[in-house]
Amino acid sequence: MTPTPLGWLGIIRLGLVQSALGAIVVLTTSTLNRVMAVELALPVALPAALVAWHYAVQLSRPRWGYGSDMGRRRTPWIIGGMGVLAMGALLTANATALMASSSVAGIVLALVAFTMIGAGVGASGTSLLALLATRVTPTRRPAAAAITWIMMVVGIVITAGVAGALLDPFSMQRLALIASGIAMIAFLVTLLAVRGVEGEPAPAADPAEPRPAFKAVLRETLADPRARLFGVFVFVSMVAYSAQDLILEPFAGLVFGMTPGQSTQMSGVQHSGVLVGMILVGAAGGMIGGRGAGWMRGWTVLGCVGSAVALSLLAVAAAVGPGWPISLTVFGLGFFNGVFAVAAIGSMMALAGAGPDGDEVGGREGIRMGVWGAAQAIAFALGGFFGAVGVDIGRRIFAEDATAFLTVFAIEAALFVAAALIATRIGRAARPTPSAFTPVRGAEHVQA
């Protein structure tokens, strides 16, 4: 029996899970890291390394996706992953407090905590995307992508605002209390949001049917040219997308002489543009429907090209300096980033259940989402590192800030252009030969 497609209420409920996920992640990768670097006066490289480690752990996403594919339901993986994530957040708060008295013990505990955070994000996030891919109709996918990601941004904004207000006057006890409250609320929201949303479980598999091994399913996924090409697209585009995260505000301060308050406001302008871009694609998709993979591919290419143009203008702004309409340029970058993000997620939903010939093939959405999620995690880790280190190297080579930022922005623009070119080929990859794409059937693929 084919499960009933998700209605708008079901999509919003899953968006609440994204909000909860974003709330915990922003607490652990932003607030707690700031405490390590400022209040505890630890090297800035420490929190940066911990964040990079949580991305590295997300290389396990294909395994989590495979697990949800082989099971009859995906919601247990979402709940279990969120539980591990919440416990990781609590452990991170305790590790941060422990660093004040014993830095070595605190760092060891933080490493365990960030391992849990990476695993929790991987398990819950991958299974959530797989559930959306399998239960949202093609015409609603653009709007679903917009709704869930906008709700994640809202969850991040609310958490940052509330936690920031409650943390003053700062103490480790207050930090632990706030972290506990956010983790508990996020987990309860997840429990309520997913309750009954998946409907009846799928029919049990025939016990005599051999269960394909993880390695065999992974090889099958990587052998599909469409899935492999989309993974390359995700990696290239996300490196470009994330490379400006850590350098945009320093750019505003060093080149345009903005105060911390002014650069923070500029960051708000960028995020406003992101939301407008997301809403535009979501609304357009909701009103006129997805109209096939070509429609979504067009929006993806537009987002990449527009982002490349905006980054090129930022490179020009670095050369011109004060007097350039920097806020308008940053808003444009955010807008096209938002268009790109929603269109790419919508394309991901569409391709998750598609076979090498474009036909719908169920039961592999989780591992595909896992492969692409792993590519995204690597890209985010490398992108932030590339942006920051690239500027530092550029400042040494060129002996001036403007040229260093100009060079990095230009490279990012080129990466977005490359991503746009790759996006035009998605869905048009040649079918593999039988030897390159072997269905996982038979006793030789039985799970050990």
Side-chain angles (χ1 to χ4, degrees):
M1 183 176 65
T2 303
T4 305
L6 284 176
W8 293 117
L9 180 59
I11 293 171
I12 292 172
R13 288 173 64 183
L14 292 182
L16 286 172
V17 179
Q18 280 282 45
S19 296
L21 196 153
I24 297 180
V25 170
V26 73
L27 175 72
T28 54
T29 61
S30 179
T31 305
L32 291 175
N33 287 345
R34 188 262 174 171
V35 171
M36 294 179 198
V38 179
E39 276 70 23
L40 299 181
L42 294 169
V44 178
L46 173 61
L50 290 171
V51 171
W53 172 246
H54 112 281
Y55 280 125
V57 173
Q58 290 184 53
L59 290 175
S60 62
R61 275 179 178 264
R63 190 62 178 80
W64 303 121
Y66 164 81
S68 71
D69 283 340
M70 295 299 106
R72 298 174 63 194
R73 299 175 65 86
R74 299 193 190 274
T75 47
W77 292 87
I78 297 173
I79 294 171
M82 190 64 71
V84 172
L85 175 60
M87 288 188 289
L90 296 178
L91 201 60
T92 303
N94 291 326
T96 304
L98 182 60
M99 288 178 190
S101 57
S102 175
S103 58
V104 174
I107 291 171
V108 171
L109 189 61
L111 189 61
V112 174
F114 273 85
T115 301
M116 295 175 66
I117 291 168
V121 170
S124 59
T126 301
S127 301
L128 177 65
L129 286 173
L131 181 57
L132 283 168
T134 55
R135 297 292 299 279
V136 175
T137 59
T139 55
R140 289 184 174 179
R141 281 169 181 161
I147 289 171
T148 52
W149 255 252
I150 288 171
M151 291 182 71
M152 183 177 70
V153 173
V154 169
I156 290 173
V157 170
I158 291 176
T159 303
V162 172
L166 295 177
L167 271 173
D168 292 328
F170 176 80
S171 69
M172 287 296 180
Q173 292 78 10
R174 185 182 291 266
L175 174 65
L177 184 62
I178 292 171
S180 300
I182 291 174
M184 182 178 66
I185 292 172
F187 186 69
L188 290 176
V189 166
T190 299
L191 286 178
L192 294 173
V194 302
R195 183 180 180 184
V197 74
E198 196 171 5
E200 294 297 320
D206 184 354
E209 180 76 18
R211 180 180 176 181
F214 168 67
K215 289 182 178 180
V217 179
L218 182 61
R219 283 196 301 268
E220 175 189 292
T221 301
L222 296 178
D224 180 357
R226 292 159 58 91
R228 189 170 60 244
L229 184 63
F230 192 78
V232 174
F233 164 76
V234 168
F235 177 78
V236 174
S237 61
M238 287 301 174
V239 169
Y241 182 84
S242 60
Q244 39 89 19
D245 280 351
L246 300 180
I247 66 173
L248 200 55
E249 288 199 45
F251 167 69
L254 292 171
V255 178
F256 282 80
M258 290 187 181
T259 65
Q262 289 173 327
S263 65
T264 300
Q265 289 177 338
M266 188 191 71
S267 180
V269 169
Q270 181 191 16
H271 286 97
S272 297
V274 170
L275 288 176
V276 172
M278 288 181 170
I279 292 170
L280 173 65
V281 177
M287 288 188 294
I288 65 178
R291 298 202 177 174
W295 186 89
M296 189 60 67
R297 184 167 57 242
W299 280 102
T300 304
V301 172
L302 174 63
C304 290
V305 172
S307 297
V309 171
L311 285 164
S312 299
L313 291 176
L314 278 180
V316 175
V320 174
W324 181 270
I326 185 65
S327 294
L328 183 61
T329 305
V330 168
F331 179 85
L333 175 62
F335 173 80
F336 286 110
N337 279 177
V339 169
F340 150 74
V342 169
I345 295 299
S347 297
M348 191 181 292
M349 290 182 189
L351 290 171
D357 56 359
D359 296 333
E360 289 291 321
V361 179
R364 295 293 183 266
E365 294 87 354
I367 194 165
R368 286 177 176 231
M369 287 294 186
V371 168
W372 299 332
Q376 176 180 313
I378 298 171
F380 265 82
L382 293 178
F385 179 80
F386 158 73
V389 174
V391 168
D392 285 341
I393 294 174
R395 293 172 75 184
R396 285 182 175 272
I397 294 175
F398 302 113
E400 59 179 12
D401 298 330
T403 306
F405 283 105
L406 183 156
T407 304
V408 173
F409 288 143
I411 294 173
E412 290 181 60
L415 287 173
F416 262 123
V417 171
L421 293 174
I422 297 171
T424 61
R425 297 179 54 203
I426 294 174
R428 300 174 183 174
R431 292 186 61 176
T433 60
S435 62
F437 186 86
T438 305
V440 285
R441 299 187 183 94
E444 67 273 19
H445 299 300
V446 174
Q447 178 71 34

